[in-house]
Amino acid sequence: MRARAVRAPIHAAAADLPCDADLAASVLDGLTRPQKSLPSRFFYDTRGSALFEQITTLDEYYLTRTEIGLLERHAGDMAALIGPKASVVEFGSGSSRKIPILLEALEEPAAWVPIDIDQEMLAQSARDMQARFPSLRLVPIHADFMQPVALPARQLSANRVGFFPGSTIGNLRPHEALAFLRRVGATLGRSAAMLIGVDRKKDLSTLLAAYDDAAGVTAAFNRNLLVRINRELGADFDLDGFAHEARYDIDRGRIEMHLVARTAQSVRLLGKIFRFAAGETIHTEVSCKYTMEEFRLLARAAGWQPVQSWTDPRDWFAIHFLRFCDDEEVTPHAR
Ligand code: AVJ
């Protein structure tokens, strides 16, 4: 009898995945706006994902290590709130370094549902996790978690918890974050829970250094967008012609990454010419920072009840535990 090669078949949502046509349309759209911009979802090709992994190890990039510390210290409390036989749905699972900490603490976890756009990374982490948690049901889904994703409900237990670490929510603008949280609530279902990592507002120099490290890894990560566009769309961006810049917009409470044209120049792309004035920028990413109260307000507005949060001694990062319930449930009122 032939052994089954793949134990956990990967569910694909191919129609929603970023492809060449998506890249082309997005680049054409972004570069014709008054403030030129490129969507940050295109950072994560193979090289971009590797550069991001490298960022997470930098001294200046406190986010990953602070969040892992919080998970290690408080996984017991989190597991107690989640309860037994949970199905954990992870949005943008990436290299999956954080989920084992939670799964180790959970009582009889039922399933792990990683959703990621990188199919290779998904297959690799499914293999690693199956070896580490042999009795865990794996339901990998190859999809862009920013798009609506249908869960294979029959394969999941009733106790559902969303896991969204890394402050990836910060890469959405608040109105997008609100829509995302609402949609996740609808997807996971009534009384689902959510564990979500959120980077906090803090002093400017700490924030700026995290997005403009001395070794230049973040600069390479940012510029990799141009490398990708040159390769995949046959553009002729001069890579040395653009400088990496991280800014903090204090009013909006967000880091912005830009690529700054060092001199006036033009770029050929898909039969068009795009002109840059000296100093003109392409806006490539937002990374919104939230105070505890700001994030709780956002969660409430999206139909989630903030139940508990954990933070580090320096108040740099927070993990929030939320429960999804509609308003009637949270604040019962007489009719
Ligand atoms: C994807 C949210 C974890 O915004 O901090 C890191 C991406 N960009 N350095 C972030 C990123 C520049 C990162 N997250």
Side-chain angles (χ1 to χ4, degrees):
M1 214 173 82
R2 216 158 67 96
R4 273 200 301 160
V6 183
R7 298 175 66 183
I10 294 179
H11 298 251
D16 297 332
L17 290 166
C19 57
D20 279 4
D22 180 21
L23 179 67
S26 303
V27 170
L28 288 173
D29 176 54
L31 294 185
T32 47
R33 294 180 182 220
Q35 166 64 69
K36 293 183 172 70
S37 65
L38 293 169
S40 45
R41 68 175 178 283
F42 295 116
F43 277 130
Y44 302 93
D45 62 359
T46 305
R47 178 162 179 265
S49 298
L51 284 167
F52 177 68
E53 286 305 314
Q54 213 181 317
I55 287 173
T56 65
T57 68
L58 296 168
D59 282 345
E60 294 97 328
Y61 198 77
Y62 58 86
L63 289 82
T64 310
R65 109 174 50 84
T66 308
E67 186 177 43
I68 288 177
L70 285 174
L71 284 169
E72 283 170 345
R73 202 161 322 126
H74 302 292
D77 292 350
M78 296 172 188
L81 284 165
I82 293 167
K85 297 189 169 52
S87 290
V88 185
V89 179
E90 181 167 5
F91 299 92
S93 47
S95 67
S96 305
R97 270 191 300 148
K98 295 163 188 165
I99 190 68
I101 307 170
L102 182 64
L103 288 172
E104 293 280 7
L106 285 174
E107 188 185 336
E108 288 182 68
W112 176 53
V113 186
I115 306 175
D116 205 276
I117 46 174
D118 185 338
Q119 180 150 26
E120 266 169 58
M121 183 104 81
L122 202 55
Q124 184 57 50
S125 51
R127 280 193 294 274
D128 293 350
M129 292 289 285
Q130 193 69 89
R132 192 157 169 185
F133 300 92
S135 61
L136 186 71
R137 178 187 281 251
L138 300 188
V139 189
I141 300 181
H142 182 213
D144 177 358
F145 66 82
M146 293 299 177
Q147 304 297 317
V149 175
L151 294 179
R154 280 160 285 101
Q155 299 190 49
L156 307 182
S157 55
N159 182 7
R160 289 167 188 183
V161 57
F163 186 54
F164 195 33
S167 201
T168 306
I169 189 101
N171 294 147
L172 302 176
R173 288 162 175 79
H175 70 278
E176 297 165 331
L178 188 94
F180 172 78
L181 288 173
R182 257 186 203 293
R183 183 149 42 69
V184 167
T187 303
L188 294 178
R190 217 158 195 243
S191 78
M194 179 96 170
L195 269 178
I196 179 163
V198 181
D199 196 22
R200 298 180 63 178
K201 289 193 161 94
K202 61 185 60 62
D203 71 278
L204 189 66
S205 57
T206 304
L207 280 171
L208 286 176
Y211 292 86
D212 192 7
D213 60 282
V217 183
T218 308
F221 175 73
N222 198 5
R223 241 184 242 110
N224 182 53
L225 266 181
L226 305 184
V227 175
R228 180 173 186 181
I229 292 167
N230 280 353
R231 185 185 59 238
E232 293 183 27
L233 301 179
D236 65 350
F237 274 105
D238 168 17
L239 303 177
D240 296 326
F242 287 84
H244 167 69
E245 187 181 299
R247 317 174 174 164
Y248 187 63
D249 180 332
I250 199 156
D251 295 330
R252 293 190 171 105
R254 69 188 196 190
I255 286 281
E256 293 183 7
M257 294 208 309
H258 291 257
L259 289 162
V260 188
R262 294 184 203 269
T263 55
Q265 55 196 291
S266 56
V267 174
R268 270 178 187 284
L269 192 158
L270 298 167
K272 294 186 189 300
I273 293 182
F274 295 92
R275 292 178 204 287
F276 291 82
E280 187 176 355
T281 76
I282 309 174
H283 183 192
T284 54
E285 186 183 61
V286 299
S287 197
C288 299
K289 310 304 175 188
Y290 291 92
T291 66
M292 302 299 274
E293 208 36 51
E294 283 166 350
F295 188 76
R296 288 180 187 134
L297 280 168
L298 181 78
R300 275 198 202 94
W304 291 85
Q305 175 78 354
V307 174
Q308 197 170 330
S309 17
W310 301 269
T311 190
D312 55 292
R314 293 184 296 196
D315 287 347
W316 279 4
F317 200 92
I319 298 180
H320 294 265
F321 182 85
L322 314 172
R323 197 162 291 282
F324 193 63
C325 34
D326 50 36
D327 286 332
E328 277 86 345
E329 247 183 316
V330 181
T331 49
H333 52 265
R335 282 169 205 272

